[in-house]
Amino acid sequence: MKFSDILAKLGDAAICNSLNLNKDNDPEIAGMAAVDEATSGTLSYIEGAKFAAMVGKTGASALILPQDEALQAQAQERGIAWIATPEPKLLFARTLKFFYQPWRPTPEIHPTAVIYPNVKIGNDVYIGPHVVVHQGVEIGSGVCIHANVVIYPDAKIGDRTTLHANCTIHERTLIGADCEIHSGAVIGAEGFGFVPTATGWLKVEQSGYTVLEDGVVVGCNSAIDRPAVGETRVGRYTIIDNLVQIGHGCQIGAGCALAGQSGIAGGVKIGNRVILAGQSGIANQVKIGDGAIASAKAGIHSDVAPGEIVSGTPAIPHKQFIKVSTILTRLPDMYQSLKQLQRQINQK
């Protein structure tokens, strides 16, 4: 594909580009690459000052650049075609779709699939080898269910949703349209509900529902549990990484991002556009306000206000955490100073 073809596909997003200065520099682009690994015939991107030096080193034939005239001039001098945009990574993501689309099988029901009576299946559905679909399940149109998926009774799968191989959808689970559930994920399994008694733990039956709204993505080997009563709900367009645990009765808002190994205890309420970095953990019944951010390994034991950034265990405001961390590195010197003061006091 010619560089000019890419510009045409991008439309108004690529108005500022090198062809406006030199129409003859229209390289053939065969694929996309990281800027430090790019070779002739590939397109890459530069995001911010951290990687600006790569403009002078990369082997890419074309670059997506920030709106920086100095970088654009440098690329021009090296004969590298370029597109300038306020958000280079976003435009790179959009352009990548021109070169790669995930594999999607032709709609069919594989002969080894086990489909119980009273299952409703929409149009253009793919159901792969050894899939098990229990009674009362509803599957929307355009759904893709890969090999070895198990769907328990009375679950509902919305239009155009993809269930990757070996994921499990339990009963009382409602999955919206355009969702993607990756391999090994378990949606709607029993929450961790037990009551202590004199003779041990009494299991509380988990009769509630698990609801994933439209556009939710769930990563590999993540678990979203159903509650004893009520529902566990994940808001639309929330993205969940691999190995994430969401406990029973949690309410997660729209547009959130939960990174790998995050753990959320039961009854937590998370607002919209919240970000949880890797290995962050949230205790029972905590409330997280809209737009809040928890940094990696944050341990959250109390409510977090909207827009607040927290770090550490127990979590504290991020600016305070930076100060504490700075002092922590000085503790050995401070300890030696304290010992010296104590000796001086004892000698008096």
Side-chain angles (χ1 to χ4, degrees):
M1 171 184 314
K2 286 287 190 180
F3 180 66
S4 56
D5 296 330
I6 295 173
L7 298 179
K9 287 176 178 288
L10 290 172
D12 290 345
I15 288 176
C16 185
N17 64 78
S18 59
L19 286 187
N20 295 328
L21 301 175
N22 182 4
K23 293 182 179 180
D24 294 329
N25 186 16
D26 188 13
E28 188 75 28
I29 304 298
M32 314 278 284
V35 68
D36 57 342
E37 299 174 353
T39 57
S40 178
T42 61
L43 169 67
S44 190
Y45 77 103
I46 298 289
E47 186 176 28
K50 182 178 179 181
F51 299 99
M54 291 303 300
V55 175
K57 302 176 183 177
T58 185
S61 294
L63 288 171
I64 301 173
L65 298 173
Q67 291 179 317
D68 184 318
E69 292 183 359
L71 292 182
Q72 295 162 22
Q74 188 178 0
Q76 198 80 20
E77 289 173 6
R78 292 199 61 213
I80 299 173
W82 53 266
I83 308 166
T85 174
E87 298 180 276
K89 189 173 184 179
L90 177 59
L91 197 63
F92 181 84
R94 290 177 175 170
T95 307
L96 187 58
K97 293 182 179 181
F98 304 154
F99 295 91
Y100 170 77
Q101 289 292 325
W103 172 69
R104 190 174 183 88
T106 302
E108 67 167 347
I109 297 177
H110 195 274
T112 63
V114 178
I115 301 176
Y116 281 67
N118 301 322
V119 172
K120 296 180 181 179
I121 301 176
N123 300 320
D124 300 321
V125 170
Y126 172 77
I127 299 179
H130 306 293
V131 169
V132 179
V133 183
H134 284 273
Q135 63 269 18
V137 169
E138 296 183 16
I139 298 172
S141 296
V143 169
C144 182
I145 304 176
H146 290 279
N148 301 320
V149 169
V150 177
I151 305 177
Y152 280 58
D154 302 318
K156 295 182 180 180
I157 313 297
D159 294 344
R160 299 174 301 280
T161 283
T162 297
L163 306 180
H164 288 281
N166 301 302
C167 70
T168 304
I169 312 300
H170 283 256
E171 68 264 29
R172 297 173 180 258
T173 295
L174 312 176
I175 297 178
D178 302 303
C179 293
E180 188 163 14
I181 314 300
H182 284 276
S183 298
V186 180
I187 312 299
E190 294 181 338
F192 193 59
F194 297 87
V195 177
T197 71
T199 57
W201 295 95
L202 175 66
K203 179 181 176 180
V204 180
E205 296 298 342
Q206 306 294 289
S207 69
Y209 290 81
T210 305
V211 180
L212 274 56
E213 297 181 3
D214 295 348
V216 169
V217 177
V218 181
C220 297
N221 298 316
S222 290
I224 303 174
D225 295 345
R226 74 176 187 269
V229 293
E231 64 180 28
T232 302
R233 179 174 289 268
V234 179
R236 55 190 293 148
Y237 304 117
T238 282
I239 54 174
I240 298 168
D241 197 2
N242 302 335
L243 298 168
V244 172
Q245 162 66 26
I246 297 175
H248 52 86
C250 289
Q251 305 290 309
I252 298 175
C256 296
L258 283 57
Q261 299 185 359
S262 298
I264 304 174
V268 168
K269 290 183 171 58
I270 295 177
N272 300 322
R273 304 176 307 282
V274 170
I275 297 174
L276 302 182
Q279 295 188 335
S280 54
I282 306 178
N284 282 323
Q285 307 298 324
V286 165
K287 295 180 176 63
I288 310 292
D290 291 349
I293 298 174
S295 65
K297 295 190 176 184
I300 301 173
H301 299 273
S302 57
D303 294 353
V304 177
E308 189 169 5
I309 303 174
V310 296
S311 300
T313 302
I316 57 177
H318 184 70
K319 290 183 179 179
Q320 183 181 357
F321 175 79
I322 295 298
K323 294 178 181 178
V324 170
S325 299
T326 302
I327 293 172
L328 188 64
T329 61
R330 296 166 53 195
L331 281 179
D333 293 337
M334 294 168 67
Y335 176 67
Q336 293 301 322
S337 297
L338 178 61
K339 285 177 64 176
Q340 184 177 353
L341 288 172
Q342 287 176 329
R343 283 194 296 266
Q344 291 175 358
I345 291 171
N346 291 335
Q347 290 171 0
K348 290 183 179 180

